[in-house]
């Protein structure tokens, strides 16, 4: 049996849903699992509107091993798993560390066990630039050493990578890729899917669009006295569709057995630093809106600056991220305006 179906965990979530669209666009057969803790199953209707394909979602918790096994029993042709499902709020993880460790690590253990037992031999793990902590050198490469994790969430990603690495040593038939995302933002160009969390948005780009649309009276710029070119923090904002496409490239790479090791790591950033003030300027430029912001004290736990060296993903996966901060702001804004219109109707 050809095992070419891809199981996307967290498929109703932000990056998972965009990745499903890109996988379908590239001819993959997909099944999703998402317990809807931070998402809505209606996103599957939107994916159908974009692609013409109706994707099945299992609304189960991956921390339940028996329920997770059932997906593989039902779909013996699953050959690859892209594991997005996780809790991802940095602040919440500080207040609920055990919940974060239980959810993010038990779900990973169960899914790896299923990969081993059901012959799904390609595995992709959603990691994060937060594994680097306060990196000592910029840009960070995949070889840059991990510093102390700044939160329990970040620690789940550091430990998740180590678990997958130990699993790879013991299970050479399963090849794994860790994708370390920098700051994903923006929405699909169709404006049919975007970021739609159940939790309050705290990341910069949705805070900007919510403020400009009047959902917030004003926003805060956390710190203007850092040792950066304009005093605000620097990040590597990467369009969600570029992130999505990296997963397609990674699964194609593994299915074609182009990997020379059964455990590899790739940074996914655009490779450039953008400051908070530069992000605000880009938003104002592409939308014509003016943003009501105030400078506030530094936010606890923020790293000063981080951006990626993305050469490895470009060269080995053939990944070519081609959307910049203005594309991010334009698509995020279109999505925000649409959400507000829907909320009023
Ligand atoms: P998201 O919250 O939109 O999507 C994650 C999905 O997983 C949600 O729909 C949630 O309901 C589901 N889920 C969580 N635990 C589950 C469980 N036990 N069983 C079944 N479903 C479960 O988040 P996202 O932004 O799409 O992030 C996807 C992945 O990328 C996560 O692993 C996250 O840590 C990682 N990541 C995200 C960012 C970012 O800024 N968005 C950056 C770096 C890494
Ligand atoms: C970006 C910049 C803020 C909000 C987080 C996670 C990280 C990864 C990506 C998952 C910072 C500033 C923000 C606001 C502001 N996620 N800011 N006002 O903190 O780089 O990374 O998302 O893995 O783990 O920590 O992203 O979007 O919160 O902040 O000034 O209202 O915008 O200080 O400099 P961050 P962010």
């Amino acid at each position: 049996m050809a095992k070419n179906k891809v199981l996307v965990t967290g498929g109703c979530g932000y990056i998972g849903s965009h990745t499903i669209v890109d996988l379908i666009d590239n001819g993959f057969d997909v099944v999703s699992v998402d317990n809807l803790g931070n998402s809505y199953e209606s996103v599957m209707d939107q994916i159908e509107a974009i692609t013409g394909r109706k994707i099945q979602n299992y609304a189960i918790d991956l921390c339940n091993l028996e329920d997770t096994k059932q997906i593989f029993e039902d779909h013996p042709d699953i050959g690859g798993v892209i594991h997005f499902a996780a809790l991802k709020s940095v602040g919440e993880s500080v207040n609920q560390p055990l919940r974060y460790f239980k959810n993010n690590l038990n779900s990973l253990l169960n899914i790896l066990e299923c990969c081993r037992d059901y012959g799904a031999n390609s595995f992709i793990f959603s990691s994060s630039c937060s594994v680097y902590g306060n990196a000592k050198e910029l840009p960070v490469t995949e070889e840059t050493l991990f510093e102390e994790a700044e939160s329990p969430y970040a620690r789940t990603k550091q430990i998740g990578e180590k678990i997958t690495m130990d699993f790879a040593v013991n299970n050479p038939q399963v090849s794994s890729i860790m994708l370390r995302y920098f700051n994903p933002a923006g929405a699909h160009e169709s404006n049919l899917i975007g970021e739609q969390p159940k939790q309050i948005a705290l990341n910069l780009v949705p805070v900007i669009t919510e403020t400009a649309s009047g959902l917030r009276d004003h926003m805060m710029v956390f710190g203007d006295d850092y040792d950066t070119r304009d005093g605000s923090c620097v990040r590597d904002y990467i369009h969600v569709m570029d992130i999505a496409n990296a997963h397609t490239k990674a699964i194609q790479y593994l299915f074609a057995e182009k990997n020379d090791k059964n455990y590899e790591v790739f940074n996914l950033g655009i490779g450039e630093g953008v400051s908070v003030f530069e992000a605000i300027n880009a938003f104002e430029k592409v939308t014509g809106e003016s943003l009501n912001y105030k400078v506030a004290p530094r936010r606890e736990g923020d790293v000063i600056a981080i951006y990626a060296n993305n050469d490895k993903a470009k060269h080995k996966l053939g990944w070519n991220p081609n959307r910049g901060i203005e594309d991010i702001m334009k698509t995020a804004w279109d999505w925000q305006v649409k959400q507000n219109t829907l909320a009023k109707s």
Side-chain angles (χ1 to χ4, degrees):
M1 183 200 355
K3 287 175 83 75
N4 47 18
K5 189 176 282 180
V6 179
L7 173 65
V8 175
T9 81
C12 297
Y14 176 43
I15 308 174
S17 57
H18 289 75
T19 300
I20 290 177
V21 169
D22 199 71
L23 287 167
I24 295 170
D25 284 349
N26 284 282
F28 284 96
D29 204 1
V30 177
V31 62
S32 162
V33 49
D34 194 309
N35 67 356
L36 311 178
N38 196 33
S39 55
Y40 303 90
E41 214 163 36
S42 57
V43 75
M44 293 299 161
D45 300 330
Q46 303 302 104
I47 290 175
E48 186 178 11
I50 298 170
T51 65
R53 291 274 296 281
K54 180 80 183 166
I55 299 301
Q56 179 186 10
N57 180 61
Y58 285 80
I60 62 115
D61 189 337
L62 289 160
C63 296
N64 182 316
L65 180 60
E66 293 312 311
D67 285 354
T68 306
K69 282 182 176 172
Q70 191 59 49
I71 304 170
F72 290 83
E73 295 282 347
D74 293 350
H75 299 272
D77 53 344
I78 292 173
V81 174
I82 307 182
H83 183 49
F84 292 104
L87 299 173
K88 65 159 182 178
S89 168
V90 172
E92 190 179 67
S93 79
V94 174
N95 297 322
Q96 303 176 25
L98 291 186
R99 180 168 164 245
Y100 269 68
F101 287 123
K102 268 178 144 170
N103 188 74
N104 292 3
L105 299 181
N106 285 333
S107 56
L108 173 64
L109 295 173
N110 285 344
I111 204 81
L112 286 175
E113 186 171 332
C114 289
C115 285
R116 182 195 66 193
D117 294 349
Y118 291 92
N121 287 341
S122 300
F123 179 74
I124 296 174
F125 177 67
S126 289
S127 189
S128 162
C129 63
S130 61
V131 297
Y132 295 112
N134 251 308
K136 292 205 168 64
E137 53 182 31
L138 292 175
V140 289
T141 74
E142 290 79 358
E143 275 67 50
T144 301
L145 294 177
F146 290 1
E147 300 297 330
E148 188 63 26
E150 291 287 322
S151 67
Y153 164 76
R155 209 179 300 283
T156 69
K157 293 299 178 187
Q158 290 184 338
I159 298 170
E161 286 202 16
K162 302 280 186 213
I163 288 172
T164 310
M165 195 165 34
D166 286 342
F167 174 84
V169 173
N170 192 242
N171 296 275
Q173 79 284 7
V174 182
S175 291
S176 297
I177 285 182
M178 313 287 105
L179 295 177
R180 294 178 184 157
Y181 319 151
F182 280 66
N183 288 58
H188 190 260
E189 283 84 358
S190 66
N191 211 20
L192 288 168
I193 55 171
E195 195 164 7
Q196 201 177 11
K198 288 183 172 165
Q199 291 189 319
I200 184 170
L202 297 172
N203 291 119
L204 180 66
V205 175
V207 167
I208 287 176
T209 60
E210 287 183 11
T211 306
S213 73
L215 292 176
R216 297 170 190 245
D217 172 60
H218 64 277
M219 64 164 285
M220 303 292 191
V221 172
F222 297 131
D224 68 348
D225 56 353
Y226 286 103
D227 183 17
T228 60
R229 53 185 172 263
D230 62 17
S232 63
C233 289
V234 169
R235 296 288 184 276
D236 187 334
Y237 298 93
I238 172 85
H239 196 282
V240 66
M241 286 312 298
D242 281 329
I243 290 267
N245 185 248
H247 293 77
T248 304
K249 299 273 191 215
I251 205 84
Q252 286 168 334
Y253 175 86
L254 290 180
F255 276 8
E257 299 181 8
K258 288 188 179 162
N259 53 313
D260 39 35
K261 288 183 268 184
N262 79 325
Y263 176 91
E264 285 192 274
V265 180
F266 295 94
N267 281 341
L268 297 184
I270 199 82
E272 278 169 28
V274 171
S275 75
V276 177
F277 288 124
E278 288 164 351
I280 289 173
N281 288 342
F283 174 81
E284 291 184 328
K285 182 178 164 210
V286 290
T287 64
E289 300 289 323
S290 81
L291 201 63
N292 187 12
Y293 65 85
K294 297 178 179 158
V295 174
R298 295 177 176 196
R299 184 173 71 175
E300 205 182 328
D302 263 339
V303 303
I304 301 167
I306 188 160
Y307 51 96
N309 175 318
N310 62 10
D311 289 349
K312 190 175 171 194
K314 282 181 169 168
H315 292 140
K316 291 192 91 171
L317 300 179
W319 182 55
N320 181 26
N322 55 17
R323 298 162 180 92
I325 189 70
E326 293 189 4
D327 304 298
I328 287 174
M329 293 303 183
K330 168 89 176 66
T331 54
W333 179 238
D334 288 348
W335 176 248
Q336 183 69 59
V337 170
K338 183 173 171 190
Q339 297 314 297
N340 293 6
T341 310
L342 288 174
K344 280 187 200 140
S345 63

